[in-house]
Structure formats: structure tokens, C-alpha cells
Amino acid sequence: MLLNRDSGAPPDAAGAPPAGPGAPAEVQQPQQPDLTDVERRDDADLLAAGPTDAPVALVVFSDYQCPFCATWSEETLPLMMEHVEAGDLRIEWRDVNVFGDASERAARASYAAALQGKFWEYHDALFAGGHPRPEKDLSDDALVALAGDLGLDTARFADDLGSDETARQIASNAQEGLDLGAYSTPVFVLGGRPIVGAQPSQVFLDAFDAALAEAR
């Protein structure tokens, strides 16, 4: 586990002496963990945007019932997508589904939409206006209806929504987040460094600039 279970912050080094004026430099300035290994950089990843060889990657661990995830998607994601369009950033989405069955259904629905090339459109609809949809609007029938509103093949969508392949992929993504220590959402890994919570957009923009400068 790479993040503290209670706070979501990176754990302190066990037994490390306190930082202070006389402390060694490595204690005064502890390095954050390098989490670049969570980046897949896989052309076959349906829940991603941006080139696989972009100099910086952002991995997002989210939940479709999480209001903070919805706020981040409304306010910050469009700004990060500008860097995706410039070819400097790759975004990889992983749903942790910590809120339960409705979250898991929504995640499966977003993957079913991705199988028709409409992941981001479906994602945006689930977080429309910067708010998560009510749980009653995350039933199978409601999710299929939303797919129809977006012009997807609803028969295919319904099949994919309930398929074993979709269930396996969503469970794998969720387990990856839990293994990382993402017991609450949102959690991000930007340029290999963790960011916990829906921090202000400027935090992400500054972190991206620093990661890009380091990559170059």
C-alpha cells in the first residue's frame, strides 16, 4: 500500500528522526514515492486520452457517485485536456467504486460506452454540471437510456454492460486503486507523484508544469 489508509497521504517513513534545523537534508526534504509504474501507456486502454508516449501521464482514481470527483471533472479536467490535445499529457482513468454497487454499475456503463468509442462523452454525462447522478439514475435501465441519448447502439451497450469482460476489467481497475491505497476518491498520480483530493485546478496545472519540465 503506497498511500496512508486514513488520510490518503503518502505514509511517513517509519522511525525517521524529526525534521528540524539540525536534521539531515534527506530528512528535511523527504522525497515523494515514484508511482510511475501505475501508468499503463497501453494503446489498447479504452479509458485513456492522449498519446502513449506523452512526456507526462495523469492517472485518475475516481468514483461516479463522488461529488468531489464530479467537481474535478467539471473544473479541472477540461484544463488538463488542453495539454492532452497539445500532445504533452496522457490521462488514464480508473474507477475505484468505493461507494458501492451503483458506482460499479456506472463504471461498467462507462466501459461499455468506451467499447463504442464514447467513453469521455459518457463520462461527461455521468458528471453533467459538475454533479454525480442520483443513485436512482444509475440503474441498468437508466444507464442504457443514457447510452441511447448519446447515440450509442443500446442493444450492444446492454450486452457489454452485463458482460464478464466488462466486469473483469472494472474489478481489475478498482483493485489497482485499492492496492495503491485509494480508499477514498479522488486520488491522482501526476508525473509519478500522488495528489489526494479534488485540489484547486492550479495545483494540477503547477504539478503538470513541473513534471513536464522534469521530463524535458
Side-chain angles (χ1 to χ4, degrees):
M1 177 168 53
L2 301 176
L3 298 174
N4 181 280
R5 181 165 189 165
D6 294 325
S7 67
D12 294 330
E26 64 269 19
V27 175
Q28 292 180 350
Q29 300 293 335
Q31 291 186 345
Q32 288 185 313
D34 182 356
L35 304 180
T36 52
D37 60 347
V38 306
E39 301 169 6
R40 290 179 183 162
R41 304 283 187 154
D42 184 355
D43 283 327
D45 189 347
L46 298 177
L47 311 184
T52 56
D53 61 351
V56 180
L58 169 62
V59 183
V60 183
F61 294 93
S62 182
D63 187 301
Y64 283 115
Q65 289 189 91
C66 167
F68 301 107
C69 301
T71 297
W72 187 87
S73 289
E74 177 77 5
E75 297 178 357
T76 305
L77 179 59
L79 301 177
M80 305 310 291
M81 281 295 189
E82 294 178 9
H83 295 299
V84 169
E85 292 168 4
D88 292 328
L89 179 67
R90 177 173 177 81
I91 298 177
E92 299 179 355
W93 204 270
R94 318 276 166 80
D95 296 300
V96 186
N97 309 320
V98 293
F99 283 83
D101 291 344
S103 299
E104 191 265 343
R105 285 195 300 274
R108 286 192 285 108
S110 71
Y111 189 81
L115 289 169
Q116 297 189 46
K118 295 286 188 178
F119 169 70
W120 293 105
E121 292 88 344
Y122 202 91
H123 164 276
D124 291 347
L126 288 173
F127 280 151
H131 302 285
R133 290 165 68 90
E135 185 172 350
K136 66 181 179 61
D137 292 336
L138 297 176
S139 67
D140 285 356
D141 288 346
L143 293 166
V144 172
L146 178 59
D149 292 342
L150 295 174
L152 279 70
D153 179 333
T154 55
R156 176 184 171 189
F157 180 92
D159 286 344
D160 291 333
L161 178 63
S163 75
D164 291 341
E165 175 199 347
T166 297
R168 281 193 300 269
Q169 184 61 58
I170 294 307
S172 176
N173 289 347
Q175 189 60 52
E176 183 175 339
L178 295 177
D179 289 346
L180 184 69
Y183 295 100
S184 61
T185 51
V187 170
F188 309 87
V189 177
L190 176 54
R193 300 291 183 262
I195 300 175
V196 178
Q199 305 290 335
S201 296
Q202 195 60 48
V203 169
F204 291 88
L205 296 174
D206 290 346
F208 168 77
D209 288 342
L212 183 60
E214 184 178 339
R216 290 174 172 171

